[in-house]
Amino acid sequence: MVKEIERVGIPVVHICTVVPISKTIGANRIVPAIGIPYPLGDPTKSAEQSKKIRRELVERGLKALETPVSEQTVFE
Amino acid sequence: MAKYKIVHYINNFFSGAGGEEAAGMRPEVHEGAMGPGLALLEAFGEDYEIAATVVCGDNYFGENLEDATAELLSMIEPFKPDLFIAGPAFNAGRYGVACGTICKAVEKELGIPVLTGMYEENPGVDMFRKDLIVIKTKNSAAGMRKAVPVFKNLGEKLVKGEEILGPDIEGYLERGIRVNYFAEKRGSERAIELLVKKCRGEECPTEYPMPKFDRVEPTAPVTDMAHTKIAIVTSGGIVPQGNPDHIESSSATKYGIYSIAGMERMDKKDFMTVHGGYDRAFVTEDPNLVIPLDVLREMEKEGVIGELADYFITTTGTGTATGNAKAFGEDFVGKLKEDGIGAVILTST
Amino acid sequence: MKLELGKIYIRDVQFAEKTYVKDGTLYVCKEEIEKLVLEDERLTGARVELARPGESVRISPVKDVIEPRVKVEGNGAVFPGVIGKVGQVGEGRTHALVGATVITCGKIVGFQEGVIDMSGPTAKYTPFSQTNNVCVVIEPADGLETHDYEAAGRMAGLKTAVYVAEAAKNLVPDEIVTYETKPLLEQIAQYPDLPKIGYVHMLQSQGLLHDTYYYGVDAKKFIPTIMYPTEIMDGAIVSGNCVAPCDKVTTYHHLNNPVIEDLYQHHGKDLNFVGVILTNENVFLADKERHSDMVAKLAKYLGLDGLLITEEGYGNPDTDLMMNCKKVTQAGVKVVIITDEFPGRDGKSYSLADAVPEADTMVSCGQGNLIVHFPPMDKLIGTMDYVESQIGGYAGCMNEDGSFDAELQIIIASTIANGFNKLAARTY
């Protein structure tokens, strides 16, 4: 799906846990998520902290979208 | 007994109309066999007839794909054929693409078996090998004699609904379709035999060649986030409670588009996950862990982003065929474009 | 370690007043099994039914399948740390009721339990159409939490298997097979000219319905370790999971791991089987990286020339599989992977979610997306209420006459990715 979005010229960031799969399928802007059962946030922490983690990930995602890349790039 | 009816497609050159100078000719229909069809007719024998031959110029076809296909279909349909054959196109590129296009359309619209043939480097092969049976031919018309019996054998099997065996046995180009069979030895034994060979430096052919995944050039970045409309797409299997469209928990064959208009966050009362690949307990409790609606709404208010699309697009990632995922993408990108989406956040578990 | 496996062949199963084996027939006492299962307060119902090869019987949704085994001589007990006390197993003598199983089924926990047909066109896809099955249909207490339900179901199956296996304790086996692996240096010295071969056994360990236990330890909580191959034959590894039914490694398949069995067949002939590296499949990338590093380290440390890798499940575990393959290869060890495939119903897509160039020698256990037809059966053990939402099923797949269509992956162990079956896929 990532590639089809990118193919029509819409920038896309893939926020995902399993970065190698994302690389294999061909996403160009990749942000590593927390974990498979909870990619954006960490429910083992408090609700505020979990949300803060989520906000940081989304901010990193936006930053990736604003960054020029020439090849597959992981925004750690 | 009534004869099985074949309709045959050929291009300007093979119809005798001429080469480049005739490549612009529009579709025509002729009763009976002509050109290479005569050899096919003879091979298929007395139970078959070539009811009609349809002809189109390669350039006309290439420049008017949709119109040419529609015109040809309307010419083929009245004959109610049992089998459709196109070409073979040998190494003629435009002809190969035309053969592939019309075969695919006939199979889809008329629901009858189709066959074509090409040289393996014909650009039409890569475009259509997964969709069609493309008989392997030489690179020029000199290969017709060898190709004819292959057309006959496969054509007959298709008409009678018999099982089509592997590409090497039947003489068509490998389609890239994975088909099950029962091997003589179990998998663990075959693997050990391969490993012993590998350790000895002997040949150890793989049963599944690694695919080459295709790549897309990265798009230019977003330059004005504060005025960009963002959409969320996910493979995390988030759906409205009750899963109204029955999206599968694994190996999905469909996706859904669901409204988040007026919502401040993903509420567990409204949404659930059907993803079969992970422990769903956390996400069931808080779907924002997959669709970060709460923080995106904040950012929308703060003016960090321009606007959030009032829907999200969702499917289940686990075990979902790449072909399906690609088809989903192709299907929904039109909507993203139409809705003026400037960037997408795609989340996966 | 040296283990004698005494095989008692079972050709029929019948109900009786007590549980015993006579002349190749397993007699089971229904009431005693039901009573045993209901000792667990989490379960409110237990019903025992029998299913034999060739009968018009469908079993669904199947959770686990277990071969009854009992320790006769040597240390420890079967299923150590889970049923038996924790204690080293893998030595001495163990008896197995070969051709009999205990199957747990009942209301689904997730989507991931499967189907067994004892006859008809789909019977050939599962090994359990060929075994005499003691099926325990369980009913969870109202409102039982899913993790608890899974645990209760798992224990019900294991307890029943241990109960049934007692009948084998004092029998004279029909056949005794001896398996032996020596301590590393001695083992290497025994066949110095043969290639030193190992086996990387990846245990499914991704959370609810996706867990496996080694001596009772949840596999997601351990780091890669080394195991004597005979330990697994005494039940050191127990399945606590239902990944997609088709490639679920049931407890039966751990006890009868085909890679270990066949490596022993080759042992001393064209290879030297040195041992098993156990690892897991993780939900965090850092764990995937760390554990594949460790697998490669252990492979190198053992001085292996080659190894086989099997995984359980598909999707993101394909990444663990590929990381293991890549790193082990880079450590100079030759690799063959055994896997199943999910290229879509039309077979046209990529078969795995991940790929590395090092994975150049793979064995296929078939493609699980193929749609197959399940005709009506005379008898149903369990329930068909969930077919549409079980993995492999889809909305509208069920017909009124009891027949249905579903992807091959709904059948228990149909494409099991350790090479137990003969099913394979090739490219057309």
Side-chain angles (χ1 to χ4, degrees):
Chain A
M1 294 195 288
V2 170
K3 277 183 298 203
E4 296 353 288
I5 297 166
E6 191 130 28
R7 235 187 271 281
V8 295
I10 303 175
V12 51
V13 60
H14 192 197
I15 307 182
C16 61
T17 308
V18 193
V19 173
I21 292 187
S22 183
K23 278 189 177 164
T24 307
I25 61 164
N28 287 319
R29 293 180 170 89
I30 304 168
V31 170
I34 304 301
I36 291 173
Y38 39 89
L40 287 101
D42 184 349
T44 65
K45 302 210 163 93
S46 71
E48 292 74 42
Q49 266 182 311
S50 179
K51 189 170 169 190
K52 187 161 167 260
I53 292 170
R54 176 153 61 248
R55 167 111 191 183
E56 281 165 8
L57 278 171
V58 172
E59 279 171 356
R60 199 179 306 159
L62 295 181
K63 189 147 173 270
L65 286 167
E66 292 171 310
T67 310
V69 300
S70 58
E71 56 182 4
Q72 291 190 302
T73 310
V74 180
F75 294 83
E76 305 260 8
Chain B
M1 193 193 98
K3 293 184 174 196
Y4 292 113
K5 275 190 238 167
I6 301 171
V7 171
H8 187 208
Y9 173 84
I10 53 176
N11 72 351
N12 48 297
F13 177 77
F14 284 95
S15 75
E20 283 306 316
E21 73 281 7
M25 71 183 276
R26 299 173 63 99
E28 288 176 1
V29 59
H30 301 267
E31 297 243 344
M34 60 192 287
L38 296 168
L40 290 174
L41 182 62
E42 195 188 330
F44 270 92
E46 55 187 23
D47 291 344
Y48 292 79
E49 63 170 330
I50 293 187
T53 305
V54 283
V55 184
C56 182
D58 286 338
N59 286 354
Y60 181 81
F61 200 110
E63 287 157 14
N64 306 280
L65 272 180
E66 283 177 23
D67 289 348
T69 305
E71 280 176 71
L72 285 164
L73 277 175
S74 69
M75 290 173 176
I76 298 160
E77 204 269 339
F79 290 96
K80 308 267 178 246
D82 300 293
L83 175 68
F84 179 77
I85 295 176
F90 305 105
N91 200 23
R94 286 168 300 173
Y95 188 20
V97 174
C99 284
T101 309
I102 189 65
C103 276
K104 204 174 157 181
V106 167
E107 186 174 47
K108 180 163 179 253
E109 299 301 327
L110 308 186
I112 59 164
V114 298
L115 261 184
T116 185
M118 298 179 207
Y119 176 60
E120 59 191 328
E121 287 174 23
N122 190 314
V125 171
D126 273 346
M127 289 171 68
F128 295 103
R129 69 192 319 157
K130 286 205 172 183
D131 301 309
L132 304 170
I133 296 181
V134 181
I135 285 168
K136 187 176 179 174
T137 72
K138 296 205 161 169
N139 62 1
S140 76
M144 188 65 192
R145 198 169 50 84
K146 273 196 142 176
V148 165
V150 185
F151 271 96
K152 187 226 170 204
N153 187 34
L154 274 169
E156 240 175 7
K157 280 191 161 187
L158 285 172
V159 166
K160 294 181 178 161
E162 291 170 12
E163 191 191 351
I164 307 292
L165 303 174
D168 293 339
I169 300 167
E170 302 277 12
Y172 60 89
L173 291 162
E174 190 178 281
R175 303 180 64 185
I177 296 178
R178 297 296 283 172
V179 179
N180 283 341
Y181 71 104
F182 284 95
E184 274 178 34
K185 295 174 179 168
R186 66 178 181 176
S188 48
E189 174 62 27
R190 302 201 308 278
I192 292 166
E193 288 174 8
L194 278 178
L195 183 58
V196 168
K197 285 184 185 166
K198 199 171 186 176
C199 287
R200 289 178 183 156
E202 295 170 10
E203 207 189 331
C204 50
T206 185
E207 295 182 5
Y208 175 68
M210 275 288 111
K212 290 176 189 73
F213 290 86
D214 74 327
R215 290 284 175 267
V216 180
E217 277 297 300
T219 47
V222 176
T223 48
D224 184 11
M225 194 59 83
H227 294 96
T228 296
K229 185 171 175 181
I230 289 183
I232 313 171
V233 179
T234 187
S235 66
I238 303 287
V239 294
Q241 283 295 348
N243 191 14
D245 297 311
H246 307 287
I247 293 176
E248 297 89 341
S249 56
S250 175
S251 303
T253 61
K254 44 197 150 186
Y255 69 94
I257 300 181
Y258 302 112
S259 174
I260 44 173
M263 297 180 190
E264 285 305 304
R265 58 192 310 280
M266 299 292 287
D267 195 311
K268 68 175 176 183
K269 286 205 297 289
D270 302 324
F271 297 100
M272 62 187 277
T273 171
V274 294
H275 199 289
Y278 61 88
D279 188 337
R280 293 184 302 276
F282 298 110
V283 176
T284 302
E285 208 41 48
D286 183 7
N288 294 284
L289 291 167
V290 174
I291 299 203
L293 181 60
D294 53 354
V295 303
L296 279 165
R297 281 288 186 229
E298 284 176 10
M299 290 173 162
E300 192 179 25
K301 284 203 192 92
E302 293 162 14
V304 179
I305 59 170
E307 184 188 346
L308 191 61
D310 58 11
Y311 55 82
F312 67 96
I313 301 177
T314 180
T315 189
T316 303
T318 192
T320 296
T322 45
N324 285 353
K326 184 176 161 73
F328 301 160
E330 284 168 354
D331 203 54
F332 67 63
V333 286
K335 179 172 174 63
L336 296 178
K337 285 290 247 193
E338 240 167 63
D339 297 342
I341 302 300
V344 168
I345 295 178
L346 197 153
T347 67
S348 291
T349 50
Chain C
M1 276 191 183
K2 183 169 168 181
L3 182 75
E4 288 180 342
L5 186 64
K7 297 182 177 182
I8 293 126
Y9 292 107
I10 299 299
R11 290 176 294 274
D12 191 13
V13 58
Q14 298 288 344
F15 284 127
E17 293 293 307
K18 58 189 183 75
T19 298
Y20 63 101
V21 172
K22 189 159 186 276
D23 298 334
T25 297
L26 169 65
Y27 297 88
V28 291
C29 176
K30 197 178 172 148
E31 293 72 24
E32 283 189 17
I33 294 174
E34 290 172 356
K35 203 174 129 213
L36 179 73
V37 169
L38 288 176
E39 281 173 5
D40 190 333
E41 287 172 357
R42 296 171 293 190
L43 300 176
T44 54
R47 198 174 67 251
V48 179
E49 303 203 48
L50 305 177
R52 305 173 190 88
E55 290 180 337
S56 180
V57 170
R58 174 163 296 143
I59 316 169
S60 179
V62 172
K63 300 174 195 310
D64 197 9
V65 184
I66 306 146
E67 183 178 79
R69 288 193 179 189
V70 62
K71 204 85 197 121
V72 178
E73 285 166 21
N75 192 54
V78 166
F79 309 129
V82 180
I83 298 285
K85 270 190 193 164
V86 174
Q88 183 67 53
V89 292
E91 282 184 294
R93 187 195 283 193
T94 300
H95 283 180
L97 294 174
V98 176
T101 77
V102 170
I103 292 179
T104 43
C105 66
K107 216 166 168 180
I108 58 167
V109 186
F111 308 113
Q112 303 166 328
E113 291 114 305
V115 175
I116 294 171
D117 277 2
M118 298 306 292
S119 64
T122 62
K124 62 176 178 284
Y125 291 112
T126 176
F128 306 117
S129 63
Q130 302 304 314
T131 50
N132 295 283
N133 305 314
V134 178
C135 307
V136 184
V137 187
I138 54 171
E139 190 68 46
D142 276 347
L144 184 64
E145 196 268 336
T146 44
H147 292 80
D148 288 336
Y149 179 33
E150 184 280 316
R154 170 160 36 96
M155 295 307 284
L158 296 171
K159 280 196 302 197
T160 305
V162 166
Y163 162 81
V164 170
E166 274 299 310
K169 201 160 187 174
N170 297 314
L171 297 178
V172 178
D174 299 308
E175 187 190 356
I176 296 176
V177 185
T178 305
Y179 302 92
E180 183 176 17
T181 300
K182 297 174 190 296
L184 184 64
L185 296 181
E186 286 172 48
Q187 187 54 62
I188 289 173
Q190 189 184 12
Y191 304 113
D193 300 327
L194 294 178
K196 299 179 285 297
I197 302 298
Y199 167 37
V200 175
H201 188 11
M202 296 170 54
L203 304 180
Q204 176 58 249
S205 58
Q206 298 193 298
L208 175 67
L209 284 171
H210 297 78
D211 287 314
T212 307
Y213 300 86
Y214 179 53
Y215 287 89
V217 179
D218 184 343
K220 67 175 164 293
K221 294 178 182 159
F222 74 37
I223 56 172
T225 187
I226 296 168
M227 178 181 79
Y228 274 103
T230 50
E231 294 176 50
I232 205 171
M233 300 178 184
D234 276 344
I237 300 177
V238 162
S239 170
N241 75 75
C242 285
V243 287
C246 61
D247 56 10
K248 174 179 164 64
V249 179
T250 64
T251 300
Y252 176 96
H253 285 100
H254 285 299
L255 292 166
N256 290 284
N257 183 297
V259 176
I260 291 175
E261 175 70 31
D262 290 347
L263 278 170
Y264 271 124
Q265 294 296 325
H266 284 257
H267 187 49
K269 296 182 185 127
D270 52 6
L271 58 83
N272 186 355
F273 181 21
V274 167
V276 179
I277 299 172
L278 285 183
T279 184
N280 47 15
E281 299 171 2
N282 296 291
V283 293
F284 297 94
L285 188 58
D287 295 333
K288 288 179 192 287
E289 290 284 5
R290 182 192 319 110
H291 294 187
S292 52
D293 283 347
M294 289 186 177
V295 165
K297 177 186 70 184
L298 289 173
K300 180 117 180 150
Y301 182 73
L302 293 175
L304 298 177
D305 297 306
L307 55 76
L308 296 131
I309 311 180
T310 64
E311 73 170 320
E312 179 172 8
Y314 57 75
N316 85 75
D318 293 348
T319 294
D320 303 76
L321 177 72
M322 291 300 158
M323 282 183 170
N324 284 329
C325 175
K326 187 189 179 105
K327 291 177 185 177
V328 168
T329 303
Q330 285 171 352
V333 182
K334 304 274 193 295
V335 177
V336 173
I337 287 175
I338 305 176
T339 184
D340 54 353
E341 306 185 32
F342 296 89
R345 290 178 189 169
D346 61 10
K348 292 178 183 176
S349 291
Y350 304 129
S351 289
L352 281 87
D354 208 348
V356 295
E358 286 81 2
D360 58 4
T361 318
M362 313 240 286
V363 162
S364 166
C365 298
Q367 79 108 318
N369 292 130
L370 185 80
I371 303 260
V372 284
H373 181 70
F374 298 74
M377 289 278 156
D378 294 346
K379 183 179 169 187
L380 171 70
I381 298 178
T383 168
M384 293 303 286
D385 292 353
Y386 306 97
V387 162
E388 293 189 357
S389 57
Q390 277 167 252
I391 282 182
Y394 47 89
C397 73
M398 186 82 198
N399 305 316
E400 272 182 21
D401 64 356
S403 70
F404 66 101
D405 296 279
E407 293 185 18
L408 187 56
Q409 57 173 327
I410 201 168
I411 302 176
I412 285 283
S414 52
T415 65
I416 186 168
N418 60 14
F420 191 87
N421 302 331
K422 289 180 177 173
L423 189 72
R426 59 188 163 199
T427 304
Y428 266 18

